[in-house]
Amino acid sequence: MKSARRLAKRAFRRRERRFLAEGPQAVREALRIPGGLAELFTTAEAESRHHDLVVAAERAGAPVLRVSGEVMAELAQTVTPQGLLAVCEFVDVPLADALRNRPPLVTVLAHVRDPGNAGTVLRTADAAGSDSVVFTDASVDPYNGKCVRASAGSLFHLPVVVGPRFGDLIPELKNAGLTVLAADGAGERTLDAAIDDGVLARPTAWVFGNEAWGLPDEILEHVDEVVRVPIYGRAESLNLATAAAVCLYASARAQRGG
């Protein structure tokens, strides 16, 4: 229990290469990865409600530790724990592995600090068919509890790369045949124009930045193009996850010829 509790801190997660995933959806997706689930904590009520998951964890060879509601409340990172908490092995892959097969769509999070936003973008990237998601060294830890919860299991679905410097990342993306587009309000070309001009039909890496202050100049200077999502109404801007959804689905549609 002490070992599991320590995984709430990034330093311990890095050292152990393990993280916490709470709730039945996260447990179900972790079980789909051989060896992905290391331990499972459950309350009696949750075990009764999700008996299939507990049995699956036992069959996978993961120790199942039955604890009281009070202990679960200490371990969980939510106000209302769901009664199932998994200790999972890290799932990230090297950048070279993620780019080896020259993927058509990659999502890059640069300077994204809010874990809820990052997890939601990860979930959105999964839904839009992105081949991988890259968290640069200036972004939040994808194994942060709030990020894991916001991803709704998508953390276990597609290759995730953690920690490359953006300056080192750009040449690797371009060498993999990807056009690197930054989504930013400062872009001269609109998303509509990028669609009409056939830009999004190419293999693309979309770069998304901090919701509050966007992408820094040192990033904007090194991408192939800066694209802005047009605002037709009076809203000041779109939030990060919404902008990412619009851009990624536009690329998915263009690449599929629809």
Side-chain angles (χ1 to χ4, degrees):
M1 284 174 52
K2 289 181 180 179
S3 296
R5 190 180 294 115
R6 286 201 297 263
L7 296 178
K9 297 182 178 180
R10 185 171 190 172
F12 285 101
R13 292 196 295 270
R14 282 182 170 179
R15 189 178 74 182
E16 302 294 330
R17 289 197 57 81
R18 288 182 170 185
F19 67 102
L20 299 176
E22 184 179 350
Q25 175 66 12
V27 171
R28 184 175 295 108
E29 301 310 317
L31 283 167
R32 298 181 190 276
I33 300 176
L37 196 151
E39 297 174 342
L40 179 65
F41 292 87
T42 179
T43 62
E45 181 183 1
E47 181 172 4
S48 175
R49 190 165 59 249
H50 304 289
H51 184 66
D52 58 327
L53 295 179
V54 175
V55 170
E58 291 176 330
R59 287 177 177 170
V64 175
L65 307 167
R66 293 162 175 86
V67 300
S68 66
E70 292 77 12
V71 170
M72 181 62 71
E74 290 183 25
L75 290 171
Q77 298 172 287
T78 54
V79 176
T80 307
Q82 299 182 60
L84 285 178
L85 184 73
V87 175
C88 301
E89 304 289 350
F90 273 17
V91 296
D92 56 277
V93 301
L95 178 62
D97 289 357
L99 300 180
R100 179 168 290 124
N101 294 324
R102 300 177 72 83
L105 186 59
V106 172
T107 303
V108 179
L109 299 183
H111 294 270
V112 176
R113 306 289 174 79
D114 182 88
N117 271 338
T120 303
V121 174
L122 176 54
R123 180 180 183 179
T124 300
D126 180 20
S130 181
D131 297 278
S132 62
V133 177
V134 181
F135 287 72
T136 67
D137 62 343
S139 288
V140 68
D141 178 14
Y143 299 115
N144 173 288
K146 188 174 181 180
C147 186
V148 174
R149 291 192 297 276
S151 79
S154 288
L155 177 63
F156 300 99
H157 292 170
L158 72 173
V160 173
V161 179
V162 180
R165 290 178 61 255
F166 194 83
D168 300 329
L169 173 63
I170 286 288
E172 297 296 333
L173 295 173
K174 293 183 178 182
N175 287 339
L178 292 157
T179 298
V180 183
L181 301 180
D184 193 271
E188 292 186 6
R189 193 197 298 256
T190 66
L191 185 65
D192 289 342
I195 294 170
D196 293 341
D197 296 341
V199 174
L200 299 191
R202 309 169 192 162
T204 300
W206 274 106
V207 181
F208 303 104
N210 186 281
E211 181 168 314
W213 40 269
L215 289 164
D217 290 341
E218 59 265 27
I219 287 180
L220 297 179
E221 290 170 359
H222 290 91
V223 300
D224 291 308
E225 190 165 359
V226 183
V227 178
R228 60 183 169 88
V229 177
I231 302 293
Y232 299 116
R234 297 171 60 188
E236 184 271 333
S237 64
L238 294 173
N239 68 28
L240 172 62
T242 303
V246 171
C247 294
L248 291 170
Y249 269 96
S251 281
R253 185 176 187 276
Q255 290 179 0
R256 286 164 172 74

